[in-house]
Amino acid sequence: MTNGQTTEITTTVLGADEIILNMGPQHPSTHGVLRVKLKLDGERVVDSECIIGYLHRGVEKIAEHRSYQQFAPYVDRMDYVAAVSNGLGYCEAVEKLLGTEAPPRAKVVRTILTELQRIASHLLWLGTHALDIGALTPVFYCFREREEILKIFEKYCGARLTTHAFRIGGLQYETYDGFEEDVKRFCNDFEHRVDEYETLLTENRIWVGRTKGVGIITAADAIALGVTGPVLRGSGVKWDLRKAMPYAAYDQYEFDIPTRPTGDTYDRYIVRMEEMRQSRRICLQAIENIPSGPILGKVGKVLKPPPGEVYHSIEAPKGELGYYIVSDGTTQPYRLRVRPPSFINLQAFRKMAQGALVADVVAIIGTIDIVLGEVDR
Amino acid sequence: MGHLIPSSIAPYVLPVVYAVVIVAVLPLLAGYIVLLERKVMADMQARLGPMRVGPHGLLQPIADAVKLLLKEDIIPANADKLMFWMAPLVSVTMALLAYAALPIGPAFQIADLNVGLLFILGISSLGIYGIVLGGWASNSHYSLLGALRSAAQLVSYETAAGLGLVSALLLAGSLSMKEIVQAQYDQGTWFIFSVPIGFFIYMVGSIAETNRAPFDLPEAESELVAGYMTEYSGFRWSLYFLAEYANMIIVAGIATTLFLGGWLRPFARWHDHFPGTSLEFFDVIPSLVFLGAAAYCFYLAPKQPVQIQKIVMAAFGAACLLLAGAMAAALFASPAVMAGIHGAFWFMAKVVAYLYAFLWFRFTFPRYRFDQLMRLGWRFLIPLALVNVIDVGIAIILRQELGWSPFWAMLLMTLITLGVAMWLASEGSKPASTLQPADTEI
Amino acid sequence: MANDPSEKTPAPKPPADPSKPAAEGAAPTPPTSATPPKPAAPAKPAVPGAPAAAAPPKPPAAPPPPKEGPTPLDNELVRRLKARFGDAIKEATQDRKQAIVLVDADKLREISRYCRDEEKFDMLDDLTAVDWPKREKRFDVVLILYSFPKNERLRLKAHLGESEPVPSVCEIWPVANWLERECYDMFGIVFEGHPDLKRILLPDEWQGYPLRKDYDILKQDTDWVRENLGIESGQ
């Protein structure tokens, strides 16, 4: 098994050999079907190219042939690691198109579930990233915690991964008996767990040596390349859509936005760890005070938004997830465009990998935190 | 029995028997160390590990061995057939050959060479040929690169490990394995307490020498360059695997002999220091350990879900009971027999403890990148090892010429070496990486 | 299980709130003259990117209830753009409280550069296209810009005919590289000045541009099955 590696050797004018190394699309560390072509000069990456599209399923074309409610389960399958966030973005975008809003109770429950999903997504990221760098143990601990969150989702809406938790206009399901206790128990346990993961990795010389100074991207480059999410915050830009353009119930809660100055892999790791803590904080605040009331706004069975267009974006765990929906007055969207954070963040890989060593490429792919379902749609 | 065997071959009988025992038992032992590794890994990762094949996975190594033997033998098309065939053989042969000088007990040694340690180190170095030949013979770019990296790593860290050993040798005064243990008995202390830094250097060096995490980049799966073992499958791969675990046991054996007192019981000379008191209850520990294991097996046996697993568990319990009996019986036999049997127990116990540390490190630490690995070896470990040797020499002079007490001499020099180590470490953590974010456009 | 799908109505657990749904987004159509006295009916926190925040005064062009569809927009930003580019700014509207400026396709690069440098829209959030086959200039190229200092979004649109190229904005916002490739891949729009315009999501040898309205998925599937498998597709 050679992991699909092929080589070509080109000789530059100066007589030095540059090798083109092909990584993927089947490779244990590319987190999906991603193909990366690296141009190497010895051990250093001179240039790279990401070839994507292996998981392209034509979701945007399908959207033009489904009604708004019918399309909702499709969005879960894009970023399948954090399905609840996708659903939140989509439902809120359609609600904006309709000119309506979810009732307060629905907004708060949506916030809680989305923050739990953010923790779950970051846990998966941490486990797989550590595994790529060689730490074999954190992945099991992270999945143990993630299991608790998925159990809550399963009790709530019946599904663990592709949840379709929200409906246009609010929620379909009322929270189950014991929902508050489960979330509180999880949040209380989780506080110590995050510290546990930190003791394994944060001050570990080997971890620091593998991640500090690797895959640096400056703030100016990040903004120019459209990078959002923890990658942008790791480069020092204190920007989070939950604070800049609040949606759901985020404006009611207090939380911090972690940022780090350098923009290397270590900083992004710290940012995501801290984000998990802040998500827990939001959950605890939200769960104290879920307003009573209806969970579904008055949205008819047949949704025919008036013609026009809207762009709505949320802070998904991977970055800014945006939906641009054009309506022509019928029950099916005329055009539905998803602004996928993983796709746009992956474009920054080329910049980050330039000058890195081959052994760091895997770490850089991991730190951008991509999900191929979202990259390819 | 002596008069039954012609005197011409009498000196060879016992070593041959020992050799046969080692070659027969070693694959089994290596297999069970793999099982131990999987169970320990599972325990650290909050899961159970192999549970199905045999009770609690105890027959897993047998199943794995049978599977590997029955696998199809694949040779890459353009591989160099002779080298391909020979490379694993070289690795395994060298690994097994090193056991010739390893004393598993005062009576259980195939050959008591007076340069035993040198012999083992030299043979282990020859094992690197197996790796390089394997990478070459695979006819694959990446196997070759992985093999060369592996070889570079092994050579660098052998130097460091060897220097770590030298510091203990200075105290022992001989290269013969038996005499090293005897020296520890004579001096009344295991050398780990005299030269802890030497032990640390040797431990790090031995982890790198056996390609274990955190130094296992050349054979890590999630890296681009797959290791020298890629093109090997089935029985050939199991030979490499056996070589790796045999090497692990060898380095554990060397560490035990040199630093952990070999086959000596803990507090072996208590009665000399404190006459009248005795810690003879330490002699009961081997039988107690096996009794405890047997009791645990018998306790678990009825709880197994399947009948055959109950029987196998009970059989393991019975085997432990037999061993407990053997240990207890040895107490009443002649001192030579008792030293032999109990010595073997203590030796294996220390080897297992050392290997447990190997396993522990594998599942705790991430992997070093290759350049960081080489930098660590050459710029931290080797200078430290050199300084350590010098310091131990100074300590010995302080002891012998100036009459200092051993304890204070060693303590002083250990502290000095520790200071040097910290300085070297701080030098190393200065950003030596030359990665710069490129300013070019995308 | 707590949520049995056979339950028709999800009964709200706590006693019903008397002032229930009337206040929140009620009808499918935007609230015309429902309850809210203020022109901005949906609660403020849920609406991001009110472009009106750019201009000190409230958007004077919006009549009290945001009617269906786009309404004309005339704020400071639009006035500056018009002053600078004159006729290249064809139209400025506001839809669901989001500003949309329709510009001339040829001047897209200059306008983009102005927006990035002078108006401080330093991030290109998205670049996509919409196909209106019945129109003479069938494509809408849409750029969604975001300004960090102003915390504001702007949408630039340009109409484009079928084989007309449009200037690429890659050198202004490097993120446009892959976004334009995707537009090309899905719609066949050619971006002039793009360093490496080739397909990104579909295989290189793919024929056709899927997101165009005349690209029939069903026909594509039956054709492929007939050609490659020799049978009739069961669709």
Side-chain angles (χ1 to χ4, degrees), chain A residues 5 7 23 43-44 137 140-141 209-210 351 355 358 360, chain B residues 44-45 142 149 222 224 230 363 367 369 372 434-435 440 442:
Chain A
Q5 290 154 351
T7 40
M23 205 175 132
E43 280 280 319
R44 291 217 172 258
T137 325
F140 293 96
Y141 300 155
R210 285 300 297 265
K351 190 93 189 188
V358 164
D360 289 332
Chain B
M44 289 184 187
Q45 293 168 347
Y142 300 106
R149 281 206 209 177
S222 55
L224 288 180
T230 332
F363 307 120
R367 216 172 274 134
R369 204 173 61 207
Q372 295 169 336
T434 52
L435 298 173
T440 54
I442 57 158

PDB file of all heavy atoms in Angstrom, chain A residues 5 7 23 43-44 137 140-141 209-210 351 355 358 360, chain B residues 44-45 142 149 222 224 230 363 367 369 372 434-435 440 442:
ATOM      1  N   GLN A   5       0.743   7.120  -4.027  1.00  0.00           N
ATOM      2  CA  GLN A   5       1.786   8.121  -4.282  1.00  0.00           C
ATOM      3  C   GLN A   5       2.385   7.922  -5.651  1.00  0.00           C
ATOM      4  O   GLN A   5       2.660   6.813  -6.072  1.00  0.00           O
ATOM      5  CB  GLN A   5       2.898   7.994  -3.245  1.00  0.00           C
ATOM      6  CG  GLN A   5       2.440   8.432  -1.884  1.00  0.00           C
ATOM      7  CD  GLN A   5       3.233   7.751  -0.809  1.00  0.00           C
ATOM      8  OE1 GLN A   5       3.991   6.852  -1.075  1.00  0.00           O
ATOM      9  NE2 GLN A   5       3.041   8.189   0.424  1.00  0.00           N
ATOM     10  N   THR A   7       5.318   9.914  -8.364  1.00  0.00           N
ATOM     11  CA  THR A   7       6.308  10.992  -8.405  1.00  0.00           C
ATOM     12  C   THR A   7       6.613  11.372  -9.816  1.00  0.00           C
ATOM     13  O   THR A   7       6.555  10.579 -10.726  1.00  0.00           O
ATOM     14  CB  THR A   7       7.655  10.564  -7.828  1.00  0.00           C
ATOM     15  OG1 THR A   7       7.909   9.251  -8.262  1.00  0.00           O
ATOM     16  CG2 THR A   7       7.663  10.618  -6.345  1.00  0.00           C
ATOM     17  N   MET A  23      -0.294  13.437  -2.657  1.00  0.00           N
ATOM     18  CA  MET A  23      -0.806  12.910  -1.392  1.00  0.00           C
ATOM     19  C   MET A  23      -2.306  12.741  -1.517  1.00  0.00           C
ATOM     20  O   MET A  23      -3.020  13.683  -1.793  1.00  0.00           O
ATOM     21  CB  MET A  23      -0.514  13.944  -0.311  1.00  0.00           C
ATOM     22  CG  MET A  23      -0.411  13.413   1.052  1.00  0.00           C
ATOM     23  SD  MET A  23       0.084  14.738   2.132  1.00  0.00           S
ATOM     24  CE  MET A  23      -1.090  14.512   3.426  1.00  0.00           C
ATOM     25  N   GLU A  43      13.286  18.554   1.446  1.00  0.00           N
ATOM     26  CA  GLU A  43      12.232  18.358   2.436  1.00  0.00           C
ATOM     27  C   GLU A  43      11.243  19.500   2.446  1.00  0.00           C
ATOM     28  O   GLU A  43      10.217  19.417   3.099  1.00  0.00           O
ATOM     29  CB  GLU A  43      12.854  18.278   3.842  1.00  0.00           C
ATOM     30  CG  GLU A  43      13.440  16.954   4.191  1.00  0.00           C
ATOM     31  CD  GLU A  43      12.376  15.962   4.628  1.00  0.00           C
ATOM     32  OE1 GLU A  43      11.461  16.349   5.366  1.00  0.00           O
ATOM     33  OE2 GLU A  43      12.482  14.815   4.210  1.00  0.00           O
ATOM     34  N   ARG A  44      11.545  20.568   1.758  1.00  0.00           N
ATOM     35  CA  ARG A  44      10.697  21.760   1.869  1.00  0.00           C
ATOM     36  C   ARG A  44       9.660  21.789   0.779  1.00  0.00           C
ATOM     37  O   ARG A  44       9.918  21.436  -0.359  1.00  0.00           O
ATOM     38  CB  ARG A  44      11.556  23.021   1.753  1.00  0.00           C
ATOM     39  CG  ARG A  44      12.415  23.156   2.934  1.00  0.00           C
ATOM     40  CD  ARG A  44      12.579  24.587   3.364  1.00  0.00           C
ATOM     41  NE  ARG A  44      13.271  24.534   4.632  1.00  0.00           N
ATOM     42  CZ  ARG A  44      12.664  24.690   5.792  1.00  0.00           C
ATOM     43  NH1 ARG A  44      11.402  24.976   5.849  1.00  0.00           N
ATOM     44  NH2 ARG A  44      13.343  24.572   6.907  1.00  0.00           N
ATOM     45  N   THR A 137      -3.576   9.040  22.124  1.00  0.00           N
ATOM     46  CA  THR A 137      -4.595   8.899  23.163  1.00  0.00           C
ATOM     47  C   THR A 137      -5.694   9.951  23.169  1.00  0.00           C
ATOM     48  O   THR A 137      -6.832   9.608  23.442  1.00  0.00           O
ATOM     49  CB  THR A 137      -3.917   8.882  24.539  1.00  0.00           C
ATOM     50  OG1 THR A 137      -2.680   8.223  24.424  1.00  0.00           O
ATOM     51  CG2 THR A 137      -4.753   8.153  25.528  1.00  0.00           C
ATOM     52  N   PHE A 140      -9.366   9.240  21.797  1.00  0.00           N
ATOM     53  CA  PHE A 140     -10.361   8.438  22.513  1.00  0.00           C
ATOM     54  C   PHE A 140     -11.058   9.247  23.580  1.00  0.00           C
ATOM     55  O   PHE A 140     -12.265   9.108  23.798  1.00  0.00           O
ATOM     56  CB  PHE A 140      -9.694   7.212  23.121  1.00  0.00           C
ATOM     57  CG  PHE A 140      -9.218   6.260  22.084  1.00  0.00           C
ATOM     58  CD1 PHE A 140      -7.907   6.287  21.642  1.00  0.00           C
ATOM     59  CD2 PHE A 140     -10.092   5.369  21.518  1.00  0.00           C
ATOM     60  CE1 PHE A 140      -7.480   5.426  20.658  1.00  0.00           C
ATOM     61  CE2 PHE A 140      -9.671   4.492  20.541  1.00  0.00           C
ATOM     62  CZ  PHE A 140      -8.368   4.520  20.111  1.00  0.00           C
ATOM     63  N   TYR A 141     -10.317  10.107  24.261  1.00  0.00           N
ATOM     64  CA  TYR A 141     -10.965  10.934  25.279  1.00  0.00           C
ATOM     65  C   TYR A 141     -11.950  11.897  24.628  1.00  0.00           C
ATOM     66  O   TYR A 141     -13.055  12.117  25.121  1.00  0.00           O
ATOM     67  CB  TYR A 141      -9.921  11.724  26.065  1.00  0.00           C
ATOM     68  CG  TYR A 141      -8.901  10.877  26.781  1.00  0.00           C
ATOM     69  CD1 TYR A 141      -7.647  11.392  27.090  1.00  0.00           C
ATOM     70  CD2 TYR A 141      -9.172   9.575  27.165  1.00  0.00           C
ATOM     71  CE1 TYR A 141      -6.705  10.644  27.748  1.00  0.00           C
ATOM     72  CE2 TYR A 141      -8.228   8.818  27.824  1.00  0.00           C
ATOM     73  CZ  TYR A 141      -6.998   9.357  28.108  1.00  0.00           C
ATOM     74  OH  TYR A 141      -6.062   8.615  28.754  1.00  0.00           O
ATOM     75  N   GLY A 209       6.765  21.703  19.918  1.00  0.00           N
ATOM     76  CA  GLY A 209       7.741  21.665  18.834  1.00  0.00           C
ATOM     77  C   GLY A 209       7.109  21.351  17.497  1.00  0.00           C
ATOM     78  O   GLY A 209       7.536  21.865  16.461  1.00  0.00           O
ATOM     79  N   ARG A 210       6.083  20.539  17.479  1.00  0.00           N
ATOM     80  CA  ARG A 210       5.446  20.192  16.213  1.00  0.00           C
ATOM     81  C   ARG A 210       4.497  21.265  15.726  1.00  0.00           C
ATOM     82  O   ARG A 210       4.166  21.315  14.551  1.00  0.00           O
ATOM     83  CB  ARG A 210       4.627  18.891  16.354  1.00  0.00           C
ATOM     84  CG  ARG A 210       5.354  17.608  16.425  1.00  0.00           C
ATOM     85  CD  ARG A 210       6.196  17.291  15.223  1.00  0.00           C
ATOM     86  NE  ARG A 210       5.449  17.131  14.000  1.00  0.00           N
ATOM     87  CZ  ARG A 210       5.022  15.971  13.493  1.00  0.00           C
ATOM     88  NH1 ARG A 210       5.270  14.865  14.121  1.00  0.00           N
ATOM     89  NH2 ARG A 210       4.377  15.922  12.357  1.00  0.00           N
ATOM     90  N   LYS A 351      -0.772  29.070   0.970  1.00  0.00           N
ATOM     91  CA  LYS A 351       0.069  30.065   1.601  1.00  0.00           C
ATOM     92  C   LYS A 351       0.719  29.500   2.856  1.00  0.00           C
ATOM     93  O   LYS A 351       1.873  29.743   3.152  1.00  0.00           O
ATOM     94  CB  LYS A 351      -0.813  31.256   1.970  1.00  0.00           C
ATOM     95  CG  LYS A 351      -0.089  32.436   2.410  1.00  0.00           C
ATOM     96  CD  LYS A 351       0.162  33.336   1.243  1.00  0.00           C
ATOM     97  CE  LYS A 351       1.092  34.433   1.682  1.00  0.00           C
ATOM     98  NZ  LYS A 351       1.249  35.445   0.709  1.00  0.00           N
ATOM     99  N   GLY A 355       7.104  26.759   2.206  1.00  0.00           N
ATOM    100  CA  GLY A 355       8.275  26.805   3.072  1.00  0.00           C
ATOM    101  C   GLY A 355       8.208  25.818   4.219  1.00  0.00           C
ATOM    102  O   GLY A 355       9.160  25.707   4.978  1.00  0.00           O
ATOM    103  N   VAL A 358       7.819  18.667   4.772  1.00  0.00           N
ATOM    104  CA  VAL A 358       6.821  17.689   4.363  1.00  0.00           C
ATOM    105  C   VAL A 358       6.079  17.130   5.562  1.00  0.00           C
ATOM    106  O   VAL A 358       4.860  16.928   5.525  1.00  0.00           O
ATOM    107  CB  VAL A 358       7.510  16.549   3.585  1.00  0.00           C
ATOM    108  CG1 VAL A 358       6.614  15.358   3.487  1.00  0.00           C
ATOM    109  CG2 VAL A 358       7.879  17.017   2.211  1.00  0.00           C
ATOM    110  N   ASP A 360       5.213  18.573   8.071  1.00  0.00           N
ATOM    111  CA  ASP A 360       4.268  19.526   8.641  1.00  0.00           C
ATOM    112  C   ASP A 360       2.997  19.642   7.825  1.00  0.00           C
ATOM    113  O   ASP A 360       2.026  20.227   8.288  1.00  0.00           O
ATOM    114  CB  ASP A 360       4.904  20.916   8.714  1.00  0.00           C
ATOM    115  CG  ASP A 360       5.974  20.969   9.773  1.00  0.00           C
ATOM    116  OD1 ASP A 360       5.861  20.203  10.746  1.00  0.00           O
ATOM    117  OD2 ASP A 360       6.902  21.775   9.623  1.00  0.00           O
TER     118      ASP A 360
ATOM    119  N   MET B  44      -5.187   2.859  28.728  1.00  0.00           N
ATOM    120  CA  MET B  44      -4.914   4.297  28.782  1.00  0.00           C
ATOM    121  C   MET B  44      -5.893   5.085  27.943  1.00  0.00           C
ATOM    122  O   MET B  44      -6.031   6.283  28.116  1.00  0.00           O
ATOM    123  CB  MET B  44      -3.499   4.570  28.304  1.00  0.00           C
ATOM    124  CG  MET B  44      -2.484   4.089  29.281  1.00  0.00           C
ATOM    125  SD  MET B  44      -0.853   4.521  28.763  1.00  0.00           S
ATOM    126  CE  MET B  44       0.072   3.658  29.990  1.00  0.00           C
ATOM    127  N   GLN B  45      -6.543   4.414  27.002  1.00  0.00           N
ATOM    128  CA  GLN B  45      -7.458   5.126  26.123  1.00  0.00           C
ATOM    129  C   GLN B  45      -8.902   4.885  26.522  1.00  0.00           C
ATOM    130  O   GLN B  45      -9.809   5.083  25.719  1.00  0.00           O
ATOM    131  CB  GLN B  45      -7.227   4.694  24.677  1.00  0.00           C
ATOM    132  CG  GLN B  45      -5.877   5.141  24.178  1.00  0.00           C
ATOM    133  CD  GLN B  45      -5.503   4.505  22.871  1.00  0.00           C
ATOM    134  OE1 GLN B  45      -6.130   3.551  22.436  1.00  0.00           O
ATOM    135  NE2 GLN B  45      -4.479   5.039  22.242  1.00  0.00           N
ATOM    136  N   TYR B 142      10.027   5.553  -1.482  1.00  0.00           N
ATOM    137  CA  TYR B 142       9.687   5.988  -0.129  1.00  0.00           C
ATOM    138  C   TYR B 142      10.103   4.980   0.900  1.00  0.00           C
ATOM    139  O   TYR B 142      10.450   5.338   2.005  1.00  0.00           O
ATOM    140  CB  TYR B 142       8.200   6.356  -0.068  1.00  0.00           C
ATOM    141  CG  TYR B 142       7.980   7.460  -1.033  1.00  0.00           C
ATOM    142  CD1 TYR B 142       7.348   7.238  -2.232  1.00  0.00           C
ATOM    143  CD2 TYR B 142       8.528   8.703  -0.783  1.00  0.00           C
ATOM    144  CE1 TYR B 142       7.240   8.247  -3.155  1.00  0.00           C
ATOM    145  CE2 TYR B 142       8.430   9.709  -1.701  1.00  0.00           C
ATOM    146  CZ  TYR B 142       7.786   9.481  -2.878  1.00  0.00           C
ATOM    147  OH  TYR B 142       7.701  10.474  -3.797  1.00  0.00           O
ATOM    148  N   ARG B 149      16.243   7.044   6.758  1.00  0.00           N
ATOM    149  CA  ARG B 149      15.968   7.862   7.936  1.00  0.00           C
ATOM    150  C   ARG B 149      16.044   7.040   9.194  1.00  0.00           C
ATOM    151  O   ARG B 149      16.569   7.460  10.219  1.00  0.00           O
ATOM    152  CB  ARG B 149      14.558   8.427   7.832  1.00  0.00           C
ATOM    153  CG  ARG B 149      14.465   9.578   6.956  1.00  0.00           C
ATOM    154  CD  ARG B 149      13.304  10.365   7.416  1.00  0.00           C
ATOM    155  NE  ARG B 149      12.735  11.080   6.324  1.00  0.00           N
ATOM    156  CZ  ARG B 149      11.666  11.807   6.414  1.00  0.00           C
ATOM    157  NH1 ARG B 149      11.020  11.881   7.544  1.00  0.00           N
ATOM    158  NH2 ARG B 149      11.219  12.453   5.383  1.00  0.00           N
ATOM    159  N   SER B 222       0.628   7.794   9.539  1.00  0.00           N
ATOM    160  CA  SER B 222       0.010   8.997   9.018  1.00  0.00           C
ATOM    161  C   SER B 222       1.009   9.952   8.406  1.00  0.00           C
ATOM    162  O   SER B 222       0.707  11.083   8.146  1.00  0.00           O
ATOM    163  CB  SER B 222      -0.774   9.700  10.119  1.00  0.00           C
ATOM    164  OG  SER B 222       0.072   9.936  11.207  1.00  0.00           O
ATOM    165  N   LEU B 224       3.856  10.851   5.300  1.00  0.00           N
ATOM    166  CA  LEU B 224       3.901  10.643   3.869  1.00  0.00           C
ATOM    167  C   LEU B 224       4.783   9.457   3.492  1.00  0.00           C
ATOM    168  O   LEU B 224       4.451   8.651   2.666  1.00  0.00           O
ATOM    169  CB  LEU B 224       4.470  11.880   3.175  1.00  0.00           C
ATOM    170  CG  LEU B 224       3.542  13.071   3.149  1.00  0.00           C
ATOM    171  CD1 LEU B 224       4.211  14.203   2.439  1.00  0.00           C
ATOM    172  CD2 LEU B 224       2.275  12.696   2.435  1.00  0.00           C
ATOM    173  N   THR B 230       6.990  -1.377   4.446  1.00  0.00           N
ATOM    174  CA  THR B 230       5.741  -1.304   3.685  1.00  0.00           C
ATOM    175  C   THR B 230       5.488  -2.491   2.801  1.00  0.00           C
ATOM    176  O   THR B 230       4.390  -2.999   2.734  1.00  0.00           O
ATOM    177  CB  THR B 230       5.760  -0.098   2.749  1.00  0.00           C
ATOM    178  OG1 THR B 230       6.582   0.880   3.299  1.00  0.00           O
ATOM    179  CG2 THR B 230       4.392   0.421   2.520  1.00  0.00           C
ATOM    180  N   PHE B 363       1.934   5.970  24.175  1.00  0.00           N
ATOM    181  CA  PHE B 363       0.567   6.460  24.101  1.00  0.00           C
ATOM    182  C   PHE B 363       0.389   7.813  24.742  1.00  0.00           C
ATOM    183  O   PHE B 363      -0.704   8.344  24.764  1.00  0.00           O
ATOM    184  CB  PHE B 363      -0.382   5.450  24.743  1.00  0.00           C
ATOM    185  CG  PHE B 363      -0.187   4.103  24.160  1.00  0.00           C
ATOM    186  CD1 PHE B 363       0.175   3.038  24.932  1.00  0.00           C
ATOM    187  CD2 PHE B 363      -0.286   3.937  22.798  1.00  0.00           C
ATOM    188  CE1 PHE B 363       0.396   1.811  24.364  1.00  0.00           C
ATOM    189  CE2 PHE B 363      -0.063   2.719  22.223  1.00  0.00           C
ATOM    190  CZ  PHE B 363       0.288   1.649  23.020  1.00  0.00           C
ATOM    191  N   ARG B 367       4.521  12.567  18.218  1.00  0.00           N
ATOM    192  CA  ARG B 367       5.714  12.117  17.528  1.00  0.00           C
ATOM    193  C   ARG B 367       6.652  13.272  17.253  1.00  0.00           C
ATOM    194  O   ARG B 367       6.211  14.353  16.922  1.00  0.00           O
ATOM    195  CB  ARG B 367       5.245  11.560  16.198  1.00  0.00           C
ATOM    196  CG  ARG B 367       5.959  10.384  15.686  1.00  0.00           C
ATOM    197  CD  ARG B 367       5.235   9.867  14.489  1.00  0.00           C
ATOM    198  NE  ARG B 367       4.179   8.971  14.873  1.00  0.00           N
ATOM    199  CZ  ARG B 367       2.976   9.012  14.400  1.00  0.00           C
ATOM    200  NH1 ARG B 367       2.656   9.899  13.508  1.00  0.00           N
ATOM    201  NH2 ARG B 367       2.092   8.153  14.797  1.00  0.00           N
ATOM    202  N   ARG B 369       9.162  15.243  14.875  1.00  0.00           N
ATOM    203  CA  ARG B 369       9.476  15.376  13.464  1.00  0.00           C
ATOM    204  C   ARG B 369      10.928  14.996  13.279  1.00  0.00           C
ATOM    205  O   ARG B 369      11.717  15.083  14.211  1.00  0.00           O
ATOM    206  CB  ARG B 369       9.260  16.836  13.065  1.00  0.00           C
ATOM    207  CG  ARG B 369       8.995  17.041  11.599  1.00  0.00           C
ATOM    208  CD  ARG B 369       8.622  18.468  11.349  1.00  0.00           C
ATOM    209  NE  ARG B 369       9.686  19.356  11.738  1.00  0.00           N
ATOM    210  CZ  ARG B 369       9.502  20.604  12.128  1.00  0.00           C
ATOM    211  NH1 ARG B 369       8.292  21.086  12.221  1.00  0.00           N
ATOM    212  NH2 ARG B 369      10.509  21.357  12.453  1.00  0.00           N
ATOM    213  N   GLN B 372      13.684  17.451  14.210  1.00  0.00           N
ATOM    214  CA  GLN B 372      13.712  17.688  15.655  1.00  0.00           C
ATOM    215  C   GLN B 372      14.340  16.503  16.373  1.00  0.00           C
ATOM    216  O   GLN B 372      15.074  16.653  17.346  1.00  0.00           O
ATOM    217  CB  GLN B 372      12.296  17.886  16.189  1.00  0.00           C
ATOM    218  CG  GLN B 372      11.627  19.119  15.666  1.00  0.00           C
ATOM    219  CD  GLN B 372      10.164  19.132  16.000  1.00  0.00           C
ATOM    220  OE1 GLN B 372       9.560  18.096  16.215  1.00  0.00           O
ATOM    221  NE2 GLN B 372       9.591  20.315  16.023  1.00  0.00           N
ATOM    222  N   THR B 434      13.962  27.160  10.888  1.00  0.00           N
ATOM    223  CA  THR B 434      14.209  28.230   9.918  1.00  0.00           C
ATOM    224  C   THR B 434      13.006  28.436   9.013  1.00  0.00           C
ATOM    225  O   THR B 434      13.139  28.905   7.902  1.00  0.00           O
ATOM    226  CB  THR B 434      15.412  27.870   9.042  1.00  0.00           C
ATOM    227  OG1 THR B 434      15.194  26.566   8.518  1.00  0.00           O
ATOM    228  CG2 THR B 434      16.674  27.894   9.859  1.00  0.00           C
ATOM    229  N   LEU B 435      11.855  28.066   9.517  1.00  0.00           N
ATOM    230  CA  LEU B 435      10.678  28.262   8.681  1.00  0.00           C
ATOM    231  C   LEU B 435      10.305  29.727   8.695  1.00  0.00           C
ATOM    232  O   LEU B 435      10.182  30.329   9.746  1.00  0.00           O
ATOM    233  CB  LEU B 435       9.511  27.457   9.237  1.00  0.00           C
ATOM    234  CG  LEU B 435       9.705  25.944   9.273  1.00  0.00           C
ATOM    235  CD1 LEU B 435       8.551  25.329   9.994  1.00  0.00           C
ATOM    236  CD2 LEU B 435       9.788  25.403   7.884  1.00  0.00           C
ATOM    237  N   THR B 440       5.671  35.481  -0.862  1.00  0.00           N
ATOM    238  CA  THR B 440       5.231  35.454  -2.268  1.00  0.00           C
ATOM    239  C   THR B 440       3.728  35.405  -2.347  1.00  0.00           C
ATOM    240  O   THR B 440       3.037  35.025  -1.421  1.00  0.00           O
ATOM    241  CB  THR B 440       5.800  34.231  -2.970  1.00  0.00           C
ATOM    242  OG1 THR B 440       5.441  33.085  -2.207  1.00  0.00           O
ATOM    243  CG2 THR B 440       7.298  34.322  -3.053  1.00  0.00           C
ATOM    244  N   ILE B 442       0.100  34.095  -3.710  1.00  0.00           N
ATOM    245  CA  ILE B 442      -0.399  32.741  -3.981  1.00  0.00           C
ATOM    246  C   ILE B 442      -0.661  32.594  -5.471  1.00  0.00           C
ATOM    247  O   ILE B 442      -0.899  33.552  -6.158  1.00  0.00           O
ATOM    248  CB  ILE B 442      -1.686  32.452  -3.211  1.00  0.00           C
ATOM    249  CG1 ILE B 442      -2.753  33.496  -3.546  1.00  0.00           C
ATOM    250  CG2 ILE B 442      -1.415  32.491  -1.728  1.00  0.00           C
ATOM    251  CD1 ILE B 442      -4.118  32.984  -3.252  1.00  0.00           C
TER     252      ILE B 442
END
